[in-house]
Amino acid sequence: MKHLLNTLFVTSEGAYLTLDGENVVVNQEKQNLGRFPLHMLSGIISFSYAGASPALMGACASRNIALSFCTPRGRFLARTCGESNGNVLLRRTQYRIADDPVQSCRVARSSIFGKVYNARWSIERTRRDHRLRISDEKLGAASDKLKALLPSILEETSMDSLRGLEGVGAVAYFGVLDEMILNSKTDFFFHERSRRPPLDRMNALLSFAYSLLAHDCSSALEAVGLDSYVGFLHRDRPGRASLALDLMEELRPCMADRFVLTLINNRVISASDFMVRESGAVLLTDDARRSFLKSWREKMQETITHPYLEEKLPWGLVPYMQSLLLARYLRGDLDAYPPFLWK
């Protein structure tokens, strides 16, 4: 079992990361803000344009420590990696399947099944816990529509048709996401997905959560020997970690969307935690990002029972376990890839 080590989040915009012996040192304006032992870290995410020293990049690559760079507002930029030491036979199998539309669809439909299943379960959890505060009829109709899609997704053999079913499910799910926001409805609402830039507070939170989840998925896939840039559902595009995006699909509703709803509904985040730029972009303040990251770390430490393996593990290891299951499927040890089905 992989140990759930710490991820170092560097939120100071002018911070520059260097290597000192076996420690990563955070510097800003010639001042030492902190030093952290490398052996205690599984990943580093920097939200600073200043970057990191080549020595630190090399040290992270040789120790399999994921070092990722994002903009100060959370948009993913790049990730450093060293010489690939993954299983060459596993990666060759991955590439062959990615080039075969039929085999790619088999993996993709499992991911989409998990996405739709988890989206429906998120709706059902809101209906169960807050029936008196929601439009149960509206949420129930969306849940029924998602449930009806599941058999068709499992039987689909065409990638284009599968994407069409995913689109129908996304419309149903996002159509009631606003209903699951229970507090501060004037300040927090969801009308439609807006990305670059996010145009409201809810989209700003979703984008930030997706950036963190993408980093975790990329790191997990590389850790088990897979190429995070060659996907099955998301096709190849320069600079895009397509397989990480594939893995994210089934985890978005339960790990990212649900987390954001909890922050709002528990009043961890408020309207004053955002700033609005002249372009209309809505962004988290520095203090709000620190609060967000603190809550994210706490969430990743919470223990759940994996629905397929029936083992207890922290939320933070879910991407890693799904990566292991995907690798086992590609090796031929499993008849199908078992998606993470939240319970």
Side-chain angles (χ1 to χ4, degrees), residues 258-288:
R258 199 72 199 180
F259 173 75
V260 167
L261 288 170
T262 299
L263 290 184
I264 297 171
N265 293 337
N266 290 347
R267 294 186 171 88
V268 177
I269 295 289
S270 65
S272 61
D273 290 322
F274 298 82
M275 64 180 77
V276 181
R277 293 287 175 83
E278 291 182 1
S279 63
V282 179
L283 307 172
L284 283 161
T285 65
D286 289 348
D287 288 342

Side-chain angles (χ1 to χ4, degrees), residues 42-215:
S42 61
I44 302 172
I45 307 179
S46 174
F47 297 91
S48 169
Y49 284 125
S53 70
L56 177 63
M57 292 182 189
C60 289
S62 65
R63 293 166 174 78
N64 292 320
I65 298 173
L67 174 57
S68 298
F69 299 94
C70 298
T71 69
R73 305 309 167 197
R75 183 170 64 85
F76 176 79
L77 292 175
R79 182 169 57 87
T80 65
C81 58
E83 181 179 357
S84 175
N85 58 1
N87 185 321
V88 64
L89 298 180
L90 175 62
R91 292 202 175 199
R92 284 173 62 87
T93 300
Q94 177 188 352
Y95 300 149
R96 284 195 293 267
I97 291 177
D99 287 336
D100 186 329
V102 175
Q103 294 193 73
S104 289
C105 191
R106 291 174 186 163
V107 184
R109 70 189 180 198
S110 291
S111 298
I112 298 304
F113 182 90
K115 178 181 182 178
V116 173
Y117 180 98
N118 291 333
R120 177 176 181 264
W121 188 248
S122 180
I123 292 173
E124 286 298 312
R125 177 163 291 200
T126 298
R127 295 180 70 196
R128 181 195 68 191
D129 295 341
H130 307 286
R131 190 173 296 272
L132 299 179
R133 303 177 61 187
I134 60 171
S135 172
D136 189 60
E137 181 179 355
K138 190 173 182 179
L139 287 177
S143 177
D144 291 342
K145 183 173 292 187
L146 293 172
K147 182 179 180 180
L149 288 174
L150 294 175
S152 298
I153 291 172
L154 282 181
E155 297 175 359
E156 192 51 67
T157 58
S158 165
M159 192 69 80
D160 289 339
S161 298
L162 181 63
R163 292 191 177 100
L165 292 173
E166 178 195 14
V168 173
V171 170
Y173 171 66
F174 282 120
V176 296
L177 188 60
D178 186 68
E179 298 291 330
M180 293 191 278
I181 302 173
L182 305 178
N183 291 318
S184 306
K185 296 288 288 186
T186 302
D187 299 317
F188 293 96
F189 51 83
F190 184 87
H191 296 157
E192 62 181 356
R193 185 78 177 101
S194 59
R195 296 175 177 84
R196 298 179 181 175
L199 300 177
D200 56 61
R201 297 181 180 92
M202 184 65 177
N203 273 290
L205 292 171
L206 289 175
S207 293
F208 198 43
Y210 292 160
S211 292
L212 297 176
L213 184 57
H215 168 272

Side-chain angles (χ1 to χ4, degrees), residues 271-321:
S272 61
D273 290 322
F274 298 82
M275 64 180 77
V276 181
R277 293 287 175 83
E278 291 182 1
S279 63
V282 179
L283 307 172
L284 283 161
T285 65
D286 289 348
D287 288 342
R289 282 189 290 121
R290 294 187 184 97
S291 177
F292 187 107
L293 293 170
K294 179 177 180 294
S295 297
W296 180 267
R297 283 193 293 265
E298 293 172 351
K299 175 67 177 179
M300 293 304 104
Q301 297 285 348
E302 292 180 5
T303 300
I304 61 167
T305 299
H306 193 283
Y308 179 78
L309 300 173
E310 297 183 348
E311 294 182 5
K312 290 186 176 181
L313 73 162
W315 267 111
L317 281 184
V318 170
Y320 180 77
M321 298 309 298

Side-chain angles (χ1 to χ4, degrees), residues 220-252:
L221 290 165
E222 296 286 347
V224 302
L226 291 168
D227 187 338
S228 63
Y229 285 85
V230 179
F232 306 111
L233 176 65
H234 295 83
R235 307 314 297 170
D236 295 349
R237 182 183 298 174
R240 182 171 76 174
S242 296
L243 188 58
L245 296 180
D246 287 0
L247 183 59
M248 279 180 63
E249 291 297 336
E250 66 202 66
L251 303 179
R252 286 178 192 260

